[in-house]
Amino acid sequence: MKPQSLVAIYLLFWVITLFAVLPFGVRTTREEGREPIPGEAESAPANPMILKKMVITSLISALLFGLFWANYSFGWVEIDDVPFWRTRGPYAPEA
């Protein structure tokens, strides 16, 4: 696999993981016991902890990418292991 493909796949894992990690630990200003600034959305986080979430995202996506790469290298799960892939999936013969 080309290095560009590896980087693209890692970035896909990273972005999807970021969206999964973002909601954890978020508290609004009202939940913190403070009044929101005028013009601030009610749902805006008081402390989004972006750097912490980026580090957690990087670790989780590195683990997921490692599993992907190991599967790609060792062939643990191949296309023929997916039930009905050849008969009903995108490679099914035209009816």
Side-chain angles (χ1 to χ4, degrees):
M1 189 178 294
K2 292 182 180 180
Q4 298 90 334
S5 298
L6 295 174
V7 170
I9 292 169
Y10 175 78
L11 289 176
L12 284 172
F13 276 114
W14 196 90
V15 169
I16 292 168
T17 304
L18 178 65
F19 282 117
V21 170
L22 276 176
F24 290 102
V26 174
R27 294 174 50 92
T28 64
T29 50
R30 289 213 192 275
E31 291 173 335
E32 292 282 322
R34 297 180 291 168
E35 285 298 315
I37 299 169
E40 180 181 57
E42 289 289 327
S43 60
N47 182 12
M49 302 177 289
I50 294 296
L51 185 60
K52 178 181 177 183
K53 291 181 181 187
M54 289 175 72
V55 169
I56 292 170
T57 297
S58 297
L59 294 173
I60 293 172
S61 59
L63 175 71
L64 293 174
F65 179 78
L67 288 171
F68 165 79
W69 179 252
N71 183 57
Y72 179 79
S73 298
F74 300 116
W76 296 330
V77 179
E78 295 182 350
I79 198 72
D80 291 327
D81 295 332
V82 179
F84 307 114
W85 186 262
R86 297 278 183 207
T87 57
R88 295 186 192 163
Y91 300 108
E94 298 281 331

